[in-house]
Amino acid sequence: MAEVPDGLIMLERFAEEERAKLVGLTGDEYGAQWRRWREASEKVQAAITAHAEAVEANRYEVEQAVKKAARHDREDPASE
C-alpha cells in the first residue's frame, strides 16, 4: 500500500488523544468528552473511507495502516 497521508495520521492521533481524556471522568464531564471523542472518531473514519475510495484501496487495509502509522513510536495516550 502507498504511504499514509499525514492528514489521516493527524486525525487518528487527535481522536486517540480525545479518547485518552475519558480516563477518570464521570457524569456530565464523561458524556461531554465522549461526544468530543465520538466526533473526532467519526471524522477520521470518514477520511479513511474517502481516501480508500480515492486511491481504490481496501478500506480495512487503509485503516490498519493509519492506525499503525499513528501509533509508531508512541504509547497509548490513555496510559500516560
Side-chain angles (χ1 to χ4, degrees):
M1 190 178 121
E3 188 173 321
V4 176
D6 289 341
L8 291 179
I9 296 168
M10 290 173 33
L11 284 172
E12 176 66 19
R13 285 183 178 158
F14 179 74
E16 283 301 302
E17 288 166 2
E18 291 300 300
R19 180 189 60 82
K21 292 176 186 176
L22 289 167
V23 174
L25 298 179
T26 59
D28 290 341
E29 288 179 330
Y30 181 89
Q33 184 59 39
W34 185 88
R35 286 186 291 281
R36 285 189 287 275
W37 167 62
R38 177 71 183 206
E39 182 179 312
S41 181
E42 288 172 352
K43 286 180 183 178
V44 74
Q45 292 299 315
I48 288 169
T49 298
H51 178 73
E53 290 173 355
V55 298
E56 297 180 353
N58 178 289
R59 193 219 171 277
Y60 174 78
E61 290 174 2
V62 171
E63 181 176 7
Q64 294 309 303
V66 168
K67 289 180 181 298
K68 182 179 179 181
R71 288 166 180 79
H72 181 69
D73 294 332
R74 293 187 74 174
E75 294 293 323
D76 182 348
S79 66
E80 292 178 350

